[in-house]
Amino acid sequence: MDCSDFEKNVILYNEIPEAQQDALKLHLKSCKSCERLFRQTMQMERLVKEVASQKITSANTAKLTSRIMKEIHLQSSPGWLDHAIDLLQNTFIKKALATISTILLVTFSVEFFNDTPPAKYQNPITSGFAILNSTLFKEETVRQRSKTKFFTECISPFKPQQYLIDCAKSKLK
Amino acid sequence: MHPEHELDLIRKSQQGDGTAFRLLVESHQALAYSIAFRFTREEQESEDIVQEAFVKIWKNLSKYNTEFRFKTWLARIVTNQCLDYLKSARKKSMSKILISEEMAISHELKMESEELKTIVYKLADQLTEKQKAVFILRDLEMLEPEEVCSTLQMSDGNMKSNLYYARLKIKEGLRKFYKE
């Protein structure tokens, strides 16, 4: 090993293994230039250590801690979307929504298949949904029943079809 | 902090325990701030970096590898953020901080500690990013060589090489002020 190899070990003195440190110490005894470099390096190291020993702390440690915790809390607290997802995951809400959906589906299906003529072609009294008055509803029901009863006498399973026609004609007369 | 107690706090924090995480913050905040300040030398910037680092840790607690010490993990995150900050700061002002000869002449054999600190930091500013990171962590924060390697994710040889050039440059810079 020559001086250039030892030079590197001088700079990295506290990083090298003990055996290399011993070899360097031995070399320093016989090499004045390396010994001078070593002395200089140790002086510089002392200055750097002096800087390192000056502890750096935040002016307000407690304030910084609470600032950090506040930010963490803010980032951890759920937003409106998380709330909405949580709400949808609730069993009761799920069932309620399913019921509402079924009701709406049935309502629209009934409406779709309803072949009742539009209201303007109906007698406002006879169209079932238009009867809001209970008295009118009752009268209409009685009238419908009497109408049905009117032809009941003509209907018989033991008489031919012609009898039903003749009977209805005579009743209408 | 005892490693077992630290691990216990980390486990509790992983389960969302804010109080446990607060204890972790309180016990490691000083190290994080010290590293950040040595890099940036700006109070506000350092506080922002420390805050961001802890928020990042909180979000990634589930990924924490128990093989590494919490301190090393924190130092790595803080150092990376500091290096990012330095990159953006250097982009903003490319002017290098050079130590004037006038400053050198005015200094006596024994420097005032505040002046010495300023000079060392200014010299550190002239190092490359890796050299500066190694110098700060090893020589100023006095982390163990293995911790430095782990923090900066570099090999022992790479760390020593960077440290060698960093010390050489700092030494040369200080020689201007130091009269034998």
Side-chain angles (χ1 to χ4, degrees):
Chain A
M1 280 177 93
D2 59 10
C3 285
S4 61
D5 296 316
F6 284 114
E7 204 180 294
K8 195 168 183 176
N9 284 354
V10 166
I11 303 289
L12 294 173
Y13 184 73
N14 50 0
E15 311 297 317
I16 57 173
E18 215 171 307
Q20 283 185 34
Q21 284 183 354
D22 291 340
L24 177 66
K25 278 176 193 168
L26 208 69
H27 174 75
L28 294 178
K29 282 178 185 170
S30 57
C31 180
K32 286 218 166 182
S33 69
C34 283
E35 196 270 334
R36 192 165 162 264
L37 177 75
F38 185 76
R39 227 170 348 103
Q40 280 178 352
T41 308
M42 290 302 119
Q43 280 171 339
M44 301 308 147
E45 203 182 297
R46 267 196 297 276
L47 291 174
V48 172
K49 271 188 179 165
E50 201 183 312
V51 175
S53 67
Q54 294 170 19
K55 289 286 162 205
I56 294 169
T57 48
S58 170
N60 200 337
T61 314
K63 199 176 166 186
L64 179 59
T65 309
S66 56
R67 198 180 129 185
I68 294 164
M69 293 314 293
K70 198 178 167 186
E71 185 63 26
I72 284 166
H73 182 72
L74 265 175
Q75 300 228 358
S76 309
S77 58
W80 67 269
L81 193 65
D82 300 302
H83 280 302
I85 292 166
D86 282 349
L87 204 67
L88 286 173
Q89 281 170 349
N90 185 305
T91 321
F92 176 74
I93 300 289
K94 271 183 190 173
K95 283 180 181 173
L97 285 173
T99 313
I100 292 166
S101 309
T102 314
I103 290 167
L104 286 172
L105 193 71
V106 168
T107 311
F108 284 116
S109 304
V110 166
E111 194 63 32
F112 183 76
F113 291 109
N114 186 7
D115 53 358
T116 315
K120 62 178 181 180
Y121 300 122
Q122 289 180 29
N123 181 341
I125 299 166
T126 53
S127 59
F129 58 87
I131 301 164
L132 299 172
N133 188 315
S134 61
T135 319
L136 279 174
F137 182 73
K138 198 178 171 185
E139 282 172 13
E140 177 63 15
T141 313
V142 170
R143 207 165 65 83
Q144 289 286 349
R145 275 184 191 162
S146 63
K147 245 188 196 177
T148 318
K149 208 176 175 183
F150 188 71
F151 293 105
T152 312
E153 289 166 22
C154 300
I155 302 162
S156 171
F158 305 106
K159 301 275 170 67
Q161 186 74 21
Q162 192 53 46
Y163 172 79
L164 174 68
I165 297 162
D166 293 339
C167 178
K169 275 180 183 175
S170 65
K171 289 266 181 192
L172 287 170
K173 276 176 187 174
Chain B
M1 187 183 279
H2 196 273
E4 277 180 24
H5 182 224
E6 189 178 270
L7 202 64
D8 183 48
L9 288 177
I10 293 165
R11 281 190 186 131
K12 281 180 181 169
S13 303
Q14 282 172 334
Q15 289 160 5
D17 187 341
T19 318
F21 192 71
R22 192 187 180 97
L23 289 172
L24 279 174
V25 171
E26 281 169 355
S27 57
H28 292 90
Q29 187 181 293
L31 170 77
Y33 183 82
S34 181
I35 293 173
F37 191 82
R38 289 194 202 273
F39 270 100
T40 64
R41 294 204 316 283
E42 280 181 40
E43 253 179 63
Q44 192 56 47
E45 240 4 280
S46 305
E47 287 189 359
D48 289 349
I49 286 172
V50 172
Q51 181 185 310
E52 273 177 49
F54 277 110
V55 170
K56 212 169 188 176
I57 283 176
W58 171 258
K59 282 181 180 171
N60 294 288
L61 267 173
S62 56
K63 294 174 193 166
Y64 174 65
N65 186 352
T66 46
E67 281 177 30
F68 296 101
R69 287 203 65 184
F70 184 79
K71 177 185 161 185
T72 313
W73 191 33
L74 174 66
R76 184 189 296 174
I77 291 171
V78 173
T79 307
N80 286 339
Q81 278 183 291
C82 289
L83 292 174
D84 287 344
Y85 166 78
L86 289 182
K87 271 180 200 164
S88 60
R90 273 184 191 175
K91 271 180 199 167
K92 281 176 194 166
S93 68
M94 290 296 285
S95 58
K96 265 193 165 182
I97 305 154
L98 293 168
I99 297 160
S100 64
E101 287 299 316
E102 286 168 39
M103 274 174 81
I105 294 159
S106 68
H107 284 272
E108 295 298 319
L109 178 69
K110 202 169 185 180
M111 280 177 253
E112 291 295 324
S113 63
E114 202 57 37
E115 285 172 329
L116 174 68
K117 195 170 83 180
T118 311
I119 290 158
V120 169
Y121 284 135
K122 281 189 177 181
L123 288 169
D125 279 341
Q126 295 176 36
L127 303 175
T128 65
E129 278 174 11
K130 278 184 182 174
Q131 287 168 1
K132 187 176 179 176
V134 171
F135 174 71
I136 287 174
L137 296 177
R138 180 73 185 114
D139 283 354
L140 298 183
E141 282 304 319
M142 292 176 179
L143 295 188
E144 290 301 314
E146 305 79 46
E147 287 178 318
V148 178
C149 293
S150 180
T151 301
L152 299 172
Q153 289 174 300
M154 57 169 65
S155 65
D156 185 58
N158 199 356
M159 189 274 284
K160 278 183 184 169
S161 170
N162 277 297
L163 188 62
Y164 170 74
Y165 288 109
R167 282 181 180 173
L168 206 62
K169 285 177 190 173
I170 298 283
K171 181 177 155 288
E172 287 308 310
L174 281 172
R175 262 184 73 178
K176 291 179 185 174
F177 305 93
Y178 199 91
K179 292 172 187 172
E180 275 193 306

